[in-house]
Amino acid sequence: MKIAFFSIFGFDKPFFEKLKSEQHEMVFFNEQLNKCTAQLAKGFDAIALFTSDTVNEDVLRLLHNYGVKYIALRSVGFDHVDLQTASELNIRVANVPEYSPYAIAEHTVAMILALNRKLILADNRVKRHDFSLGGLTGFDLNGKTVGIIGTGKIGSVLTKILNGFSCHLIAYDICEVESLKTNYGLKYTSLDELCQTSDIISLNLPLNKDTKHLINAHQIAMMKNGVMLINTARGGIVDTQAVIDAIKSGKIGSYGMDVYEFEKGVFFFDKSETPLQDDTLALLTTFSNVLITSHQAFLTNEALEGIAKTTINNINQWAKEGKSINDLN
Ligand code: NAI
C-alpha cells in the first residue's frame, strides 16, 4: 500500500521508520490534515492520522475523491472522526485501542503529585535561590478519596497505582469491572456521589455525545471545596468556562489539564514566537494551581512503539484481508 502520514512529529517518526518494509511505501507529511492539505493524499491507498488532524465530512469527501480507502488512526480516541460519513463513503477507519495505558495513568499520578506537593512552584523558587517553604504545604494521599470517572484500560491501571498509595477508591462508569472491586476495594457510585465525596477526581473516559461537558457547573457545585480535578482524557469532557469560574472561586483547589477543549491547532506546536490568540488558554496559564501539559500523557517510548506497531498491523491486515480487528466502522 501507499501510505501518507499526516501530522508526523519528530517524536513519533523514528518509530514508524523502524518498521519500514518492502511491503508498503510510506510518505511523511508534517502538515495537519484539513480541507486545504487533503490534496496531499492524492494517489495514496491509506492515510495515517493523529488527534490533531481534522477528519470531518468535507475532508472525508475530498479523501474519497482522491482514492483513499483506509484511515489508520495513531490514537485511542476517535472523537475527531466523522465515522458515519466514512462508512457511507466506504472508507475503513481503525484506531489503536491500546498501546500503553500505563503512560497515561502514570502521567495522571505525576500531575496529582506535582499539584499536591507544589513541585513546579517549589522548583521555580529554588532556582531563584529562594529556599523558603511558605505556601508549599500539601496533603497526604494516604486515606484520601479519589474518584475515577471511567475504569477502562487507563482507569484500571490508575486504580492499581492509587491503591498503592492507600487511597480510598470510588468510581463512576457505565460498566463495572469486578476485579477492581475485589483486588483494590474500588466501590462504584453514582456520578453525583463521586462528585460529592472525592478529594481528587480523575477523568478517564472517551469524549462522545454522552460525555461532552459531563463536568459542568452543576456537577462542580456538588464537589468538595478545594477539590483537585485531573483531565488526561479529552478537553471537551469538561465545560472549560465552568472550571475557570470554579478555580477563581476556590471551589476547585487545583486543576491538572493534559487536554484542552480548544487544543486543536495549538497543542503539539511551538507557538512561543507569536502572541497566544486564545484568551481562555492564556488565562489558564496564569493560575499557579493549574498544571498544564499539552496532550503529552501518552508520550513514552513504550507507547510510541505500541502505536507504531498497531498502526502498521492495521494496515497489513487491510492489505491482506480488507479488514482489521481494530476497524471502527
Ligand atoms: P477504554 O475504552 O478502555 O475505557 C473507557 C471507559 O469509559 C470504559 O470503561 C467505558 O465504559 C467508560 N465510559 C464510556 N462512556 C461512559 C459514560 N458515558 N459514562 C461513564 N463511563 C463511560 O479507554 P482508555 O484506553 O481507558 O482511554 C480513555 C480515554 O483516554 C480515551 O477515550 C482517550 O480519549 C483518552 N486518552 C488520552 C490520552 C492522552 O495522551 N492524554 C492518550 C490515550 C487516551
Side-chain angles (χ1 to χ4, degrees), residues 76-77 79 97-99 101 104 149-155 172-175 177 203-208 210-211 214 232-234 237 258-259 295-299:
V76 175
D79 45 277
E98 177 171 0
Y99 39 88
I104 300 95
I149 305 184
T151 52
K153 291 178 280 297
I154 295 166
Y172 168 68
D173 197 308
I174 45 174
C175 304
V177 182
L203 305 178
N204 300 102
L205 72 173
L207 173 63
N208 55 40
D210 297 328
T211 63
L214 186 74
T232 56
R234 282 292 180 271
I237 296 170
D258 182 56
V259 284
H295 205 144
Q296 87 174 65
F298 71 98
L299 201 64

Side-chain angles (χ1 to χ4, degrees), residues 1 20 24 32 50 54 194 200-201 228 268-269 290 314 324:
M1 284 215 198
K20 267 190 171 172
H24 306 296
Q32 290 171 266
F50 197 52
T54 301
L194 183 145
I200 299 170
I201 297 176
M228 179 188 288
F268 305 122
F269 303 101
V290 173
N314 287 342
S324 144

Side-chain angles (χ1 to χ4, degrees), residues 15-141:
F15 291 89
F16 286 100
E17 282 181 326
K18 253 196 236 165
L19 299 177
K20 267 190 171 172
S21 69
E22 301 278 288
Q23 203 186 342
H24 306 296
E25 183 186 332
M26 298 188 199
V27 179
F28 298 104
F29 297 115
N30 297 326
E31 286 84 352
Q32 290 171 266
L33 175 67
N34 55 42
K35 253 163 66 172
C36 305
T37 59
Q39 52 167 331
L40 291 169
K42 246 184 220 171
F44 288 90
D45 310 292
I47 56 173
L49 304 180
F50 197 52
T51 47
S52 49
D53 291 309
T54 301
V55 207
N56 59 20
E57 182 177 349
D58 291 347
V59 172
L60 283 163
R61 292 200 184 282
L62 288 171
L63 293 172
H64 177 66
N65 291 342
Y66 297 143
V68 172
K69 295 176 206 64
Y70 303 102
I71 297 179
L73 302 176
R74 312 195 305 268
S75 57
V76 175
F78 49 88
D79 45 277
H80 57 305
V81 183
D82 178 349
L83 282 179
Q84 200 183 325
T85 302
S87 301
E88 280 164 26
L89 297 171
N90 245 338
I91 298 177
R92 278 194 183 271
V93 183
N95 70 339
V96 179
E98 177 171 0
Y99 39 88
S100 168
Y102 307 100
I104 300 95
E106 289 172 13
H107 192 80
T108 303
V109 176
M111 290 192 120
I112 293 173
L113 292 171
L115 278 167
N116 174 27
R117 305 309 297 267
K118 304 184 174 55
L119 297 182
I120 313 295
L121 289 180
D123 185 57
N124 286 340
R125 221 181 256 190
V126 168
K127 297 258 166 70
R128 287 187 280 109
H129 297 177
D130 173 356
F131 302 102
S132 66
L133 297 182
L136 298 182
T137 309
F139 55 83
D140 288 1
L141 281 181

